[in-house]
C-alpha cells in the first residue's frame, strides 16, 4: 500500500494523459515531489519498475535529466488494488482507495461496472441456514445515530432500524398502537399517563429493557433541553416515576393531545442507561437499541446492520444490510446496475442501465416526497434580509415554475405549503415580478450589499439558480457550502443571511409542522426574531391542547400564514423521487422519509 501511495502521489504531480510518453525529470525533482531523499527515491523507482508500473532511464551524473515513463494510469492502479482488496474481504481498504479517485480523473468504465456489480442481493450458506445480504451504495453519510441529536432524514431512517419507542403511530389508520408498551392508561383530564411494558424485550447487548431505561431516556432529553434537537418534546413533562420494573407514570404540566404522537417519534426512542453513560462520546456512532437490526459497523465508509434474532417483534427476513459510501462523482456513473436490487434516487430520473430493455424484470416507483424546500431569512443578523420589503423582493424574483423547467430532475411543483397535497387549498398564488422586486429594493435604499447563503449536501444546484435570479435584481449572493455536521450547529446556522434546504416530513402532519417550528436547531426557528419565536411558542402551546385534528391543523395553517405574511421563510419547491427495484424484491414499501423499509423486504431466488 505504501509503494502504491508513492506511485499515486508521483503520478498526480504530472499532467493528464502522459502514459507511455517519456517525461524528462531529475532525481532531485522527484525527491522534492515525494518529500524524501534521493536515496529513497532510487529504492522507490526500483520497486515501481519491478511492478511494471513505470520505466526509468537514469541520466548520467548528479543533476542530469532522466526519463520517467508511466506504463499504467493512476485510475487503473487504484481500480485493480480496490478489486483485490474487496475480493480478499478488506472492504475498508477497498473503499478508501475508491475515495482517492475523487482527487484524480474519471473512473475507468470497467472498474465502475465491477464496482456496481459488487452491490446488490447476495445469498450465502452460513452454517445451517442461508444468509441474505443486501449491499448498496449511498452518496450521503450518517451524521449521528443518537436519538437525542438526529436531524436529517437519512439519519432518522437508519436510527429507526436500531431503536424502538414506547408506542407507534399508524399513519394509514391515524391511530397510536402498542410497541414497547403493550398497554397504557390516560387520566380523564389528560395529565396522567401510565405505561405497561412488554416483558423480555432485549437490548442488542443482551440486557432486558426496563422502565428505568424509559425514564432515563426521557430524563436525558429533558436535561439536555435545547442541546437536544427535539428536547422540546419533553418540556411539557412535570414528573416521571417508575411503578415497578415494567410500569411507569408520566405527569404533564398541561394537557397535550399530541403527547402520544411525540412518544412515537424517533427522538423519544429508548436507550440503555449504562451503555450511554459509559460511552457518551461514541454512542452517536455505535449505538445500542432494541430495534429489528443491530449495528455491527459504522465507520467513514461502511455501515453494516444485522437482523437481531432476539427482536421482540417480527424479525426481518433480510439478514444483513451493508451501506457503502461512494464519492459523489460516482452518482453519475452510466454503468450496469443490474445487480443492484433496490435503488432510491433523488438526484436524477435516469433509468438504471441494467434495467434498459428488461422492463419485465425491473419496476419503478415515483412518488412525491413529504415536505418541500425552504429559504429561511436570518432576522437576528445585521443586513437587508431583516427588512420585510427585501424578503418580499426575494419572493418576487423566485420564478419557481422557471426553476423546475430549467433544472428539471425530480423538481415537481412550486410549493405554497409544507406538503404537496395541501398546495391546492393553502397559500396565495405565486407570482414572479422582477421589476417590482427592484422597486421594493430601491424604496428601502438597498445598495447591493453581498449576502451569504448557506447550503449543504445536494442543494448547490438549486442555490446557484437562486443566486442567478437574485443577480437579476442586483442582489449579489455568495453560496457557502457547509457539511451536514456543521449545519446542525446553531453557531453556524446563525452565521448565514439565509439558508436553502429541503425538509422531509412524516405523515402525522400537525406534529411535524410543530416540530419544524420548535426543534432547537431548526433553521426556520433559529432565524426568527425572539418576539416572533415567543409568539410561535405560545400559539403551539394552545394548539396542542385542541382535541379536534381539523381544528388543530386549521390553527397551524393560520400560524404558518402569519409567518408567510412576514416572509419569515419562503416555500420554494416540492420534489419527487424514484425507487427502482428488481422483480425478485418482495415486500417493498417506501416510508415517509423516502427510504425502503429494510425490515419488510425479502427476495425470491433469481436464475
Amino acid at each position: 500500500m505504501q509503494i502504491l501511495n508513492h506511485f499515486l502521489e508521483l503520478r498526480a504531480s504530472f499532467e493528464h494523459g502522459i502514459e507511455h510518453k517519456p517525461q524528462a525529470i531529475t532525481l532531485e525533482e522527484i525527491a522534492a515531489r515525494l518529500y524524501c531523499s534521493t536515496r529513497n527515491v532510487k529504492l522507490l523507482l526500483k520497486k515501481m519498475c519491478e511492478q511494471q508500473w513505470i520505466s526509468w532511464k537514469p541520466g548520467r551524473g548528479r543533476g542530469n535529466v532522466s526519463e520517467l515513463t508511466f506504463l499504467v494510469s493512476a485510475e487503473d492502479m487504484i481500480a485493480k488494488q480496490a478489486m483485490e482488496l474487496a475480493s480478499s474481504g478488506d472492504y475498508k481498504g477497498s473503499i478508501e482507495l475508491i475515495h482517492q479517485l475523487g482527487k484524480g480523473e474519471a473512473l475507468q468504465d470497467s472498474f465502475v461496472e465491477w464496482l456496481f456489480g459488487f452491490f446488490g442481493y447476495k445469498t450465502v450458506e452460513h452454517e445451517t441456514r442461508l444468509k441474505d445480504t443486501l449491499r448498496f451504495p449511498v452518496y450521503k453519510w450518517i451524521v449521528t445515530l443518537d436519538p437525542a441529536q438526529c436531524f436529517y432524514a437519512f439519519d432518522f431512517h437508519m436510527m429507526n432500524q436500531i431503536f424502538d419507542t414506547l408506542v407507534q403511530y399508524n399513519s394509514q389508520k391515524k391511530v397510536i398502537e402498542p410497541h414497547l408498551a403493550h398497554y397504557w392508561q390516560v387520566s380523564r383530564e389528560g395529565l396522567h399517563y401510565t405505561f405497561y411494558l412488554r416483558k423480555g424485550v432485549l437490548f442488542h447487548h443482551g440486557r432486558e429493557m426496563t422502565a428505568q431505561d424509559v425514564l432515563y431516556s426521557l430524563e436525558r432529553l429533558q436535561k439536555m433541553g435545547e442541546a437536544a434537537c427535539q428536547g422540546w418534546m419533553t418540556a411539557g413533562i412535570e414528573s416521571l416515576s417508575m411503578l415497578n420494573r415494567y410500569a411507569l407514570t408520566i405527569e404533564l404540566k398541561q394537557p397535550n393531545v399530541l403527547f402520544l404522537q411525540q412518544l412515537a417519534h424517533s427522538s423519544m426512542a429508548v436507550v440503555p442507561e449504562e451503555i450511554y453513560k459509559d460511552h457518551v462520546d461514541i454512542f452517536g456512532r455505535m449505538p445500542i437499541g432494541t430495534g429489528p437490526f443491530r449495528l455491527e459497523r459504522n465507520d467513514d465508509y461502511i455501515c453494516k446492520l444485522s437482523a437481531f434474532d432476539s427482536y421482540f417483534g417480527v424479525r426481518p427476513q433480510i439478514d444483513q444490510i451493508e451501506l457503502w459510501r461512494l464519492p459523489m462523482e460516482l452518482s453519475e456513473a452510466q454503468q450496469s446496475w443490474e445487480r443492484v436490487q433496490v435503488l432510491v434516487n433523488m438526484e436524477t430520473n435516469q433509468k438504471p442501465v441494467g434495467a434498459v430493455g428488461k422492463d419485465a424484470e425491473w419496476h419503478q416507483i415515483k412518488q412525491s416526497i413529504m415536505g418541500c424546500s425552504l429559504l429561511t431569512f436570518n432576522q437576528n443578523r445585521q443586513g437587508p434580509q431583516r427588512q420585510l420589503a427585501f424578503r418580499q423582493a426575494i419572493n418576487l424574483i423566485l420564478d419557481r415554475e422557471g426553476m423546475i423547467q430549467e433544472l428539471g430532475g425530480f423538481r415537481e411543483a412550486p410549493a405554497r405549503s409544507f406538503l404537496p397535497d395541501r398546495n391546492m387549498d393553502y397559500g396565495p398564488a405565486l407570482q414572479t415580478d422582477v421589476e417590482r422586486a427592484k422597486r421594493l429594493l430601491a424604496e428601502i435604499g438597498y445598495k447591493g450589499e453581498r449576502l451569504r447563503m448557506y447550503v449543504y449536501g445536494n442543494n448547490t444546484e438549486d442555490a446557484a439558480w437562486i443566486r442567478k435570479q437574485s443577480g437579476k435584481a442586483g442582489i449579489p449572493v455568495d453560496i457557502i457550502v457547509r457539511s451536514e455536521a456543521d449545519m446542525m450547529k446553531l453557531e453556524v446556522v446563525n452565521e448565514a443571511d439565509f439558508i436553502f434546504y429541503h425538509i422531509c416530513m412524516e405523515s402525522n402532519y400537525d406534529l411535524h409542522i410543530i416540530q419544524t417550528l420548535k426543534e432547537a436547531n431548526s433553521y426556520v426557528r433559529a432565524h426568527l426574531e425572539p418576539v416572533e419565536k415567543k409568539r410561535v411558542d405560545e400559539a403551539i402551546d394552545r394548539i396542542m391542547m385542541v382535541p379536534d385534528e381539523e381544528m388543530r391543523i386549521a390553527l397551524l395553517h393560520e400560524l404558518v400564514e402569519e409567518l408567510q405574511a412576514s416572509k419569515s421563510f419562503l416555500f420554494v419547491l416540492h420534489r419527487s423521487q424514484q425507487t427502482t427495484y428488481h422483480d425478485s424484491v418482495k415486500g417493498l414499501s417506501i416510508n415517509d422519509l423516502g427510504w425502503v423499509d429494510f425490515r419488510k423486504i425479502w427476495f425470491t431466488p433469481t436464475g
Side-chain angles (χ1 to χ4, degrees):
M1 289 293 289
Q2 191 63 35
I3 186 67
L4 176 61
N5 288 335
H6 284 301
F7 171 81
L8 296 174
E9 190 173 357
L10 181 60
R11 179 62 189 85
S13 68
F14 288 86
E15 294 180 358
H16 169 64
I18 62 164
E19 278 72 27
H20 303 288
K21 299 175 184 177
Q23 304 295 308
I25 192 169
T26 67
L27 203 62
E28 288 74 20
E29 286 174 328
I30 295 178
R33 296 185 187 193
L34 296 181
Y35 303 99
C36 61
S37 67
T38 55
R39 181 182 178 184
N40 282 338
V41 165
K42 290 178 181 179
L43 293 173
L44 292 173
L45 293 175
K46 182 181 179 183
K47 290 180 180 178
M48 292 179 197
C49 286
E50 290 172 352
Q51 296 286 339
Q52 297 184 341
W53 298 348
I54 65 167
S55 171
W56 172 251
K57 292 183 180 179
R60 293 173 178 266
R62 180 179 176 83
N64 288 333
V65 175
S66 304
E67 276 190 0
L68 170 66
T69 306
F70 290 97
L71 303 178
V72 293
S73 69
E75 291 71 38
D76 281 339
M77 288 305 307
I78 293 177
K80 181 181 178 183
Q81 188 68 24
M83 290 181 194
E84 290 177 358
L85 289 169
S87 299
S88 67
D90 185 1
Y91 300 142
K92 185 174 186 292
S94 176
I95 202 165
E96 283 176 347
L97 277 177
I98 292 168
H99 276 264
Q100 285 189 31
L101 286 171
K103 304 173 185 176
E105 303 166 15
L107 291 155
Q108 297 293 324
D109 288 350
S110 59
F111 174 64
V112 177
E113 188 170 0
W114 168 84
L115 177 62
F116 285 102
F118 188 68
F119 295 119
Y121 163 63
K122 308 284 190 300
T123 298
V124 296
E125 191 167 342
H126 182 72
E127 295 178 352
T128 58
R129 71 181 186 188
L130 296 177
K131 197 168 189 178
D132 294 337
T133 297
L134 177 63
R135 180 185 293 131
F136 63 95
V138 295
Y139 303 98
K140 60 180 70 178
W141 205 233
I142 297 162
V143 178
T144 181
L145 293 173
D146 184 343
Q149 301 295 357
C150 263
F151 184 70
Y152 299 108
F154 180 47
D155 291 4
F156 272 119
H157 171 66
M158 295 302 295
M159 192 183 72
N160 288 341
Q161 316 304 312
I162 300 167
F163 292 98
D164 289 305
T165 49
L166 274 178
V167 293
Q168 283 186 325
Y169 180 69
N170 186 319
S171 58
Q172 279 73 42
K173 298 179 181 179
K174 293 188 175 182
V175 295
I176 297 293
E177 296 177 338
H179 200 47
L180 291 176
H182 69 88
Y183 185 74
W184 61 89
Q185 296 170 311
V186 185
S187 64
R188 182 175 298 177
E189 71 279 9
L191 293 175
H192 188 83
Y193 289 73
T194 305
F195 293 92
Y196 302 91
L197 305 182
R198 299 182 191 275
K199 296 179 180 179
V201 175
L202 298 180
F203 285 110
H204 297 151
H205 65 308
R207 179 175 69 75
E208 185 184 37
M209 181 211 68
T210 71
Q212 177 57 38
D213 296 300
V214 180
L215 261 63
Y216 174 75
S217 301
L218 298 177
E219 286 173 346
R220 181 173 78 108
L221 281 176
Q222 271 192 314
K223 291 175 182 176
M224 292 176 74
E226 290 196 353
C229 292
Q230 309 299 339
W232 69 273
M233 288 192 180
T234 58
I237 296 176
E238 178 68 36
S239 63
L240 295 150
S241 59
M242 190 169 104
L243 299 179
N244 59 43
R245 186 177 178 86
Y246 303 110
L248 66 143
T249 63
I250 303 175
E251 193 80 26
L252 301 185
K253 297 174 183 176
Q254 66 178 44
N256 175 5
V257 295
L258 295 176
F259 184 61
L260 286 173
Q261 284 191 42
Q262 289 175 213
L263 288 176
H265 191 270
S266 307
S267 62
M268 306 281 260
V270 177
V271 304
E273 180 176 3
E274 79 285 6
I275 296 296
Y276 178 79
K277 285 181 175 178
D278 293 343
H279 304 282
V280 173
D281 294 338
I282 64 168
F283 191 80
R285 185 177 65 82
M286 292 298 297
I288 285 177
T290 61
F293 290 93
R294 57 185 174 84
L295 186 65
E296 285 196 359
R297 176 177 182 174
N298 182 24
D299 54 38
D300 291 340
Y301 302 117
I302 297 175
C303 178
K304 182 177 179 181
L305 300 170
S306 292
F308 184 38
D309 289 336
S310 299
Y311 186 53
F312 74 93
V314 178
R315 181 200 185 276
Q317 284 298 108
I318 196 80
D319 296 296
Q320 286 186 164
I321 301 282
E322 281 186 20
L323 285 73
W324 280 41
R325 177 192 180 191
L326 296 187
M328 187 59 71
E329 294 83 359
L330 277 176
S331 65
E332 301 299 325
Q334 301 288 317
Q335 298 300 318
S336 172
W337 296 67
E338 185 170 352
R339 297 179 66 194
V340 184
Q341 300 286 328
V342 181
L343 297 172
V344 178
N345 194 345
M346 301 184 187
E347 305 304 318
T348 172
N349 56 11
Q350 173 192 325
K351 194 171 184 177
V353 174
V356 174
K358 299 184 179 182
D359 291 343
E361 298 177 22
W362 284 87
H363 310 278
Q364 292 178 323
I365 301 172
K366 187 176 180 181
Q367 65 182 45
S368 297
I369 297 175
M370 301 277 283
C372 64
S373 51
L374 301 175
L375 187 66
T376 68
F377 297 94
N378 190 349
Q379 298 174 62
N380 300 305
R381 178 180 167 84
Q382 290 298 320
Q385 78 283 351
R386 295 185 65 180
Q387 300 189 58
L388 173 59
F390 181 88
R391 302 194 294 272
Q392 290 172 328
I394 293 287
N395 189 47
L396 286 168
I397 66 175
L398 290 184
D399 179 6
R400 294 159 174 86
E401 290 283 6
M403 186 179 186
I404 294 168
Q405 292 173 10
E406 189 173 333
L407 298 182
F410 287 130
R411 296 167 184 87
E412 189 173 55
R416 289 184 290 164
S417 67
F418 284 104
L419 298 181
D421 61 358
R422 297 194 177 270
N423 261 3
M424 301 303 295
D425 57 0
Y426 174 60
L430 298 168
Q431 297 177 338
T432 304
D433 191 336
V434 176
E435 294 306 314
R436 186 181 167 204
K438 289 179 179 178
R439 291 195 296 272
L440 283 172
L441 294 173
E443 288 172 10
I444 62 174
Y446 174 66
K447 296 181 173 59
E449 295 95 332
R450 302 192 72 84
L451 290 108
R452 294 149 57 95
M453 183 193 304
Y454 277 32
V455 297
Y456 63 86
N458 60 355
N459 295 310
T460 51
E461 190 178 21
D462 297 70
W465 187 92
I466 293 172
R467 176 177 61 188
K468 184 179 73 172
Q469 287 296 109
S470 300
K472 293 179 180 179
I475 304 171
V477 174
D478 295 323
I479 297 173
I480 313 295
V481 181
R482 302 299 297 262
S483 69
E484 281 89 344
D486 281 346
M487 290 300 288
M488 288 179 62
K489 301 172 184 174
L490 276 177
E491 61 268 25
V492 173
V493 172
N494 290 328
E495 292 172 3
D497 296 312
F498 37 77
I499 293 175
F500 178 83
Y501 72 114
H502 192 88
I503 182 171
C504 288
M505 310 188 78
E506 296 181 72
S507 50
N508 38 346
Y509 175 75
D510 42 0
L511 177 62
H512 283 275
I513 300 299
I514 292 171
Q515 178 183 329
T516 302
L517 299 173
K518 288 286 288 183
E519 63 185 350
N521 46 3
S522 160
Y523 308 149
V524 171
R525 181 177 180 82
H527 284 177
L528 292 177
E529 291 180 314
V531 172
E532 205 168 27
K533 202 178 295 184
K534 182 180 179 183
R535 181 170 60 83
V536 165
D537 288 345
E538 290 172 348
I540 288 174
D541 283 344
R542 294 191 296 271
I543 289 169
M544 290 197 299
M545 296 176 67
V546 176
D548 182 76
E549 182 184 24
E550 288 189 11
M551 179 63 72
R552 282 199 309 275
I553 291 175
L555 292 171
L556 273 173
H557 282 177
E558 289 179 14
L559 177 58
V560 172
E561 283 176 1
E562 289 174 17
L563 294 173
Q564 286 293 287
S566 64
K567 296 294 181 286
S568 297
F569 63 92
L570 302 179
F571 295 116
V572 185
L573 296 178
H574 295 298
R575 297 172 68 99
S576 60
Q577 71 170 16
Q578 181 174 284
T579 302
T580 302
Y581 65 99
H582 191 266
D583 193 56
S584 61
V585 179
K586 307 299 179 185
L588 185 138
S589 62
I590 312 298
N591 60 30
D592 289 340
L593 297 174
W595 283 88
V596 175
D597 192 337
F598 297 152
R599 70 183 75 191
K600 294 180 181 178
I601 59 174
W602 58 283
F603 297 88
T604 58
T606 55

